[in-house]
Every structure is written in C-alpha cells, then in structure tokens.
Amino acid sequence: MIDYFAANLWQLWVLVTVVCLILELTSGDLFILCFSIGALVTAVLSAFGLGFYGQLAVFVVASVLSLLFVRPSLVRRLHGRKKERLSNADALIGRIGRVSEAIEQGGYGRVAIDGDDWKAVSSDGTYVPMGQNVRVVGRESIIITVEKA
C-alpha cells in the first residue's frame, strides 16, 4: 500500500490543489490560491518521477514565488489600485436605488438596490415617496441613509 502511494504522489498533490481551490472560494483573498498553484506545479513534476524531498522543495518554492509574483498581479487586476476594498454594505455608498416603501418624515422606509431591500432613512428627515430614485450617502448598521437623486 505504501509503495502505491509513494509511486503515485502526484494524486495527493492534485487533491491538495483541489482542496486549496475550494478553500480559496471561501476566502476570496487569493492567498490560498498560491498554495494551489504550488501543489499543481508539484503534481506535474511528481508525475515525471521527482523524488519526495524534491516535491516538497518544489511545492515551497512554487508557493512562495506565487505569493510574491502571481498574487499581487491578480489582486491589482481584480481590485484596481485602491488600498481599501469595499465589500458588503459598505459598497452601497454612492449607489442609486428606488424607494420601495415610502420613507416617512423623521422615520423609516425601504429602498431596493440590486434586488436587495434595505431599511432606509432620509438624510434630511423629509418624506420620500415610493418610486423615487435615491442615492445612498451613509450606513449605520443595517440602516442606510439616502438622499433624493
């Protein structure tokens, strides 16, 4: 059994590649992707008969090189040159939405943005009728602050 695993270590590296890709889907930071690249390079070389310690060395070197060269390039391409990457509710600031439930004077209403419905308050406390287009100017917890667009 051990002889089979020793002769077919490339399968283990392919498994490591797939597991790292699945884990990358949960994080989205492109960090684990570098280890997946390292494992893929190691799987290819392992299939050509590279020894176990050589495989470990290739995995470490390929992963480090990916961290140094591939990840920064991908992050720059996906997120632009902005230092701060907005996500979730913070990405709503500046977006345009439509009032789905009238915002009462000094009270709350609802605003639909990209299929999501958010509890909203007017920035100046005025009444905003249903159907009015509004721009998100702030967020406090799960309540967005809007102004007429």
Side-chain angles (χ1 to χ4, degrees):
M1 186 75 147
I2 301 269
D3 294 332
Y4 174 79
F5 285 123
N8 296 300
L9 272 176
W10 67 271
Q11 294 174 343
L12 175 69
W13 290 111
V14 169
L15 180 65
V16 170
T17 301
V18 171
V19 168
C20 286
L21 287 174
I22 291 170
L23 290 174
E24 179 59 45
L25 290 175
T26 63
S27 74
D29 199 29
L30 302 176
F31 183 76
I32 302 172
L33 177 68
C34 297
F35 296 106
S36 181
I37 292 170
L40 182 63
V41 170
T42 305
V44 170
L45 294 178
S46 174
F48 289 115
L50 185 64
F52 178 71
Y53 292 111
Q55 292 174 30
L56 287 178
V58 167
F59 175 70
V60 169
V61 169
S63 296
V64 168
L65 289 175
S66 293
L67 283 169
L68 293 175
F69 297 109
V70 175
R71 183 178 181 274
S73 173
L74 289 176
V75 168
R76 206 172 23 256
R77 184 174 298 239
L78 290 175
H79 301 295
R81 299 214 181 259
K82 297 180 280 187
K83 292 277 187 198
E84 184 179 329
R85 293 181 300 198
L86 298 176
S87 63
N88 299 333
D90 290 330
L92 289 173
I93 308 285
R95 302 285 307 273
I96 302 291
R98 182 175 296 269
V99 177
S100 57
E101 181 182 308
I103 301 173
E104 298 299 324
Q105 183 173 356
Y108 299 101
R110 310 238 9 127
V111 173
I113 302 172
D114 294 335
D116 292 327
D117 206 47
W118 294 86
K119 187 173 185 177
V121 63
S122 174
S123 62
D124 55 3
T126 60
Y127 174 80
V128 182
M130 190 169 101
Q132 173 78 41
N133 284 339
V134 292
R135 179 183 325 280
V136 179
V137 294
R139 179 184 70 81
E140 190 67 38
S141 185
I142 59 169
I143 301 171
I144 58 174
T145 304
V146 297
E147 64 183 12
K148 292 180 183 177

